[in-house]
Amino acid sequence: MGPGRIAGGVRQENQEQEVGAGIAMSDTVPVVIYGDEYCAYCAAARMLFTRKGIRFEDVLVSRDPARFDEMQARSGGRRTVPQIFVGDVHVGGFDDVCSLEKSGKLDKLLAGEAAGQHSH
């Protein structure tokens, strides 16, 4: 196992700082990134949330077929990584999360608002 990883291929980023738009860590909904270790877009998504100070669950689907099946079921059958969820909202991939970030809708989702919801 590499640094920052725990058994089962899940890693938690532990950021306790406040983030932009006045959103405190305790006010954000759970974020899950389904990805793998070698995916550049997965790494970019991790960096985006880390830079914002948002804690996330990093699910390495390449190591756990059951979690890959879970990702597919939650994302409407998508097989590519990353697949990103903010709460129960399927945001999509890295391009989708970047679009939400640029429009300001990502912070609203993180605060629990339904703005920017994607339906896949």
Side-chain angles (χ1 to χ4, degrees), residues 13 16-17 45 73-74 101 103:
E13 292 297 327
E16 293 296 334
Q17 59 192 326
R74 287 188 74 191
E101 173 68 357
S103 70

Side-chain angles (χ1 to χ4, degrees), residues 4 12 20-21 23 39 42 49 55 74 89 92 119:
Q12 291 281 336
I23 301 171
C39 165
C42 300
F49 286 105
R55 204 178 314 180
R74 287 188 74 191
V89 177
S119 57

Side-chain angles (χ1 to χ4, degrees), residues 19 23-24 27 32 46-47 52 56-57 61 64 74-77 81 89-90 98 100 103 115:
V19 295
I23 301 171
D27 296 337
V32 179
R46 291 178 192 110
M47 286 193 318
K52 291 179 71 61
F56 59 89
E57 180 182 6
V61 298
D64 189 341
R74 287 188 74 191
S75 67
V81 290
V89 177
H90 178 221
C98 281
L100 290 175
S103 70

Side-chain angles (χ1 to χ4, degrees), residues 5 35-43 46 60 62-63 81:
R5 306 243 184 243
D36 70 30
E37 300 106 320
Y38 307 107
C39 165
Y41 290 108
C42 300
R46 291 178 192 110
L60 301 177
S62 57
R63 292 185 179 185
V81 290

Side-chain angles (χ1 to χ4, degrees), residues 2 18 39 64 68 71 85 87 104 119:
E18 290 210 1
C39 165
D64 189 341
F68 182 82
M71 176 192 80
F85 290 82
S119 57

Side-chain angles (χ1 to χ4, degrees), residues 4-119:
R5 306 243 184 243
I6 60 174
V10 178
R11 178 178 64 192
Q12 291 281 336
E13 292 297 327
N14 191 8
Q15 303 289 329
E16 293 296 334
Q17 59 192 326
E18 290 210 1
V19 295
I23 301 171
M25 274 301 307
S26 60
D27 296 337
T28 62
V29 296
V31 174
V32 179
I33 302 172
Y34 293 91
D36 70 30
E37 300 106 320
Y38 307 107
C39 165
Y41 290 108
C42 300
R46 291 178 192 110
M47 286 193 318
L48 185 146
F49 286 105
T50 299
R51 189 173 62 246
K52 291 179 71 61
I54 301 298
R55 204 178 314 180
F56 59 89
E57 180 182 6
D58 190 10
V59 180
L60 301 177
V61 298
S62 57
R63 292 185 179 185
D64 189 341
R67 297 304 298 265
F68 182 82
D69 293 343
E70 173 187 303
M71 176 192 80
Q72 278 193 284
R74 287 188 74 191
S75 67
R78 291 193 176 191
R79 301 177 56 84
T80 58
V81 290
Q83 293 300 320
I84 302 163
F85 290 82
V86 176
D88 291 330
V89 177
H90 178 221
V91 172
F94 180 68
D95 290 341
D96 301 309
V97 81
C98 281
S99 294
L100 290 175
E101 173 68 357
K102 287 178 185 173
S103 70
K105 293 179 181 177
L106 182 58
D107 286 337
K108 291 178 182 178
L109 272 177
L110 291 166
E113 298 176 27
Q117 209 170 137
H118 287 214
S119 57

